[in-house]
Amino acid sequence: MEFLISTFRNIPAIRRSLLLAVVILTALGNVHGRHKVHKWETVEYSAISCRAHTASLTNFGGVGDGTTLNTNAFKTAVDHLSRFQSDGGSLLYVPAGKWLTGSFNLTSHFTLFLDKDAVLLASEDENDYPVIAPLPSYGRGRDNDGGRFISLIFGTNLTDVVITGENGTIDGQGQLWWDKFHKKELQYTRPYLIEIMYSDNIQISSLTLVNSPSWNVHPVYCSNIIIQGITILAPVRSPNTDGINPDSCINTRIEDCYIVSGDDCIAVKSGWDEYGVAFGMPTKQLAIRRITCISPTSATIALGSEMSGGIQDVRAEDIVAIDTESGVRIKTAVGRGGYVKDVYVKGVTMKTMKYVFWMTGDYGSHPDNNYDPNALPVIDNINYRDMVAENVTIAAKLAGISGDPFTGICISNVTIEMAPKAKKLAWNCTDISGISSGVVPQPCELLPDQGTENVAPCNFPTENLPIDDMKVQTCSCRKKIY
């Protein structure tokens, strides 16, 4: 210290003044910085896997100003963090801000985590979405022949992937895409917000998804999937903005979601006509619980229409539908092949509906003219129980296929309050068979009333599905707060 004081005294006066000013400003800056820069906060969240390594998007050049394109920052971050797959996995933290980006891919043993004030903004530039091949079980894109724009968040051949947060937002900025769709200006099928293919152990949770160009969440050819605590919002007239579409997936759990959609809130699929038959991968062992749906032109839960690989063992319970066209709708057609069977629904509350029950055997859209006209779908063992509806226009429209009736339909303990201007024919049934019990108003003759004293309620399995054994744990990550 004496040496420093002596040295300072030997500096000429003007230089001493300048040096002293620098020292004082530096000290003030350090004090100011300690109060302004940041401190750390620990955030807890639920996930199928916790991660050993964490990084922020800002570490890779991300800028959350809503105008800077962050596609390369996301790609660089994921590429860097992929090296930790075998070392406890990694988490990419997206801080508060508006993060404009095009499509980017995920990696295995990886978590994408959005801060509560983070908004991931999808680019409106088609060039930010590479064109990829159509799904093999579809043979073409849904909007057009040929390929499709890759989804905003995409992954394939992955294991152990989590997309979650503190209800941060993914905004698809879909208006431009909807306009192009209506004007027939699209060369390829619109991108989805999230699509995961050929993957295992997937969690998508605690997010808000808005204004998707098309479907919101699309797991396809996947297994062991949890989709939980998602809010999905789209204008009710936006085209094909399905909420959640499990597609040729095995062992899936969808629960505690709120969906406002321009199409089906949940659409269960498994391939389209001859392509789905050839691919042969069904959707099965699907649990849907505690879902609220608003969709004035579509279904709460749709089974099909692309169901050619088969749909089996679907269990839906504790469902609320408000101002929605139909409850659970089965959609199929001649040429589809495949099957929808072993469907169990209970505990549904509906308010302001066009249809409570709707089955369609003539949903005739086809990918091309090469479908097999002799490929008839099998619809069997469809069970509905413990349901209440009010302000309903038509109780049921159940239309099977001539020569290929829908069988094993069971409806029990259902009360439907018809709207003041309801159709005179509450039940319209053709080419179906089954039974009913305790249903008001009285079902059609093809669903004869068995009497509540003579028949047990329609079946709903009591044993758990395998996905119920897939548990989440409490994890934590550190974030900077300012």
Side-chain angles (χ1 to χ4, degrees), residues 137-138 142 215 247 267-273 303-309 311 331-332 336 363 365:
S137 59
Y138 284 71
R142 288 298 287 112
W215 301 352
D247 195 344
V268 185
K269 300 177 180 294
S270 68
W272 200 4
D273 286 7
L303 306 173
S305 74
E306 305 91 341
M307 40 63 67
S308 301
I311 296 172
K331 301 188 287 187
T332 188
R336 287 287 191 270
Y363 203 88
S365 63

Side-chain angles (χ1 to χ4, degrees), residues 189-221:
T189 293
R190 288 163 287 163
Y192 308 144
L193 281 190
I194 301 172
E195 182 176 70
I196 308 294
M197 298 175 57
Y198 298 110
S199 297
D200 181 62
N201 289 345
I202 307 299
Q203 176 188 334
I204 303 170
S205 65
S206 302
L207 297 168
T208 298
L209 311 182
V210 300
N211 299 323
S212 177
S214 185
W215 301 352
N216 280 266
V217 179
H218 185 221
V220 56
Y221 319 140

